[in-house]
Amino acid sequence: MSFLRLTDVTKFYGSTRAVSAMNLSVEKGEFVSLLGPSGCGKTTTLQMIAGFEAVSSGRIELAGKDITNAKANTRGLGIVFQSYALFPHMTVADNVSFGLEMRKMPKAERADRVKQALALVHLEAHATRYPRELSGGQRQRVALARALVIEPPVLLLDEPLSNLDAKLREEMQFELRQIQRKVGTTTVMVTHDQSEAMSISDRVVVMEGGCATQIDHPHRVYEHPSTRFISTFVGKANLLNGRVATCSTGSCNVEVGPLAVQVDEDGFKAGAAVLLSVRPEKLQLVTAGRGRLDGTVQERFFLGSQWLYRIATPAGDLMVLSPNDGRDALDEGNAVGVDWPAHCTRLLPAEEAVAA
């Protein structure tokens, strides 16, 4: 049995449906991220799990117990907010201890638990400081310690790293994952940052328009997106219009402009309009005449470790990511060939282009 289960959970604000029939099962100790753009329903879903928002219909269960209508303060969940919500007049130790005091834990036991929690986030030396005396990363860790010290069955994270600068955010992603693995707390995180969700989650729930459009392991979501939206929201993708010529078990032959491409997928009918999806980093620039397509460099952008090129081809424009290996970059106007391994392409129904 799943540790946390959402069954057909739906939320209406008046006549507006914010979350539509959400079904999600989270295993004990798992780290799951709700990923999507603003307004997709991910934060509303987290708030219903926390008990801050009432469920319009559906059911939420924790460890086999129905908590759909339970009050937030009876669920015993740990929560880290985007703003951290630390008490400015309390020291770090007092902030972390607050939840234990509310549970009337004896003072000696409370002090031991606080000490352990601060050690977990490497803030033992900052116990007597106030939030205003801490950096953003330190305040984030205090909020995490405060949530974990009560030993919650589930830890809920609402965009916990969004207020940090890029470098610190990346460092804290991995520190957060290490802490979660060490403690083993079942965790559900809301984020709009694709790299954040991909790097630290066991599974990712991609949401669009209040619906969970794909629930899978990060690698599967990236390599096998189920919709056009996911292929372009989770990373970048080149999408070329094509038509299925033939399709048999495990393989389809697709006509993309002047190009015939074999794709390791099936389930499409001959004659069906499709989108051929290939990631920019899977494309290779070769000498003109030696690739699947010939093209011309239209634009180039320097990204530090990579060059991003826009290549005009007879099948359509392609974005290509090439490593910055120290060689001179291609100039705009250069003729090039574009190639890619057969297993790197994906097919999506053409109607996804209209729906998105």
Side-chain angles (χ1 to χ4, degrees), residues 107-121:
K107 187 174 182 179
E109 184 180 353
R110 192 166 69 231
D112 286 342
R113 291 270 287 273
V114 170
K115 185 176 179 180
Q116 293 170 11
L118 291 178
L120 183 67
V121 297

Side-chain angles (χ1 to χ4, degrees), residues 28-71:
K28 191 174 180 63
E30 192 175 20
F31 194 122
V32 171
S33 288
L34 307 180
L35 172 66
S38 297
C40 70
K42 57 188 185 297
T43 296
T44 300
T45 299
L46 194 81
Q47 290 177 336
M48 288 190 288
I49 296 172
F52 299 145
E53 289 287 353
V55 175
S56 299
S57 62
R59 180 184 178 94
I60 301 176
E61 297 169 272
L62 178 62
K65 180 181 178 182
D66 187 349
I67 62 168
T68 309
N69 299 310
K71 293 183 178 180

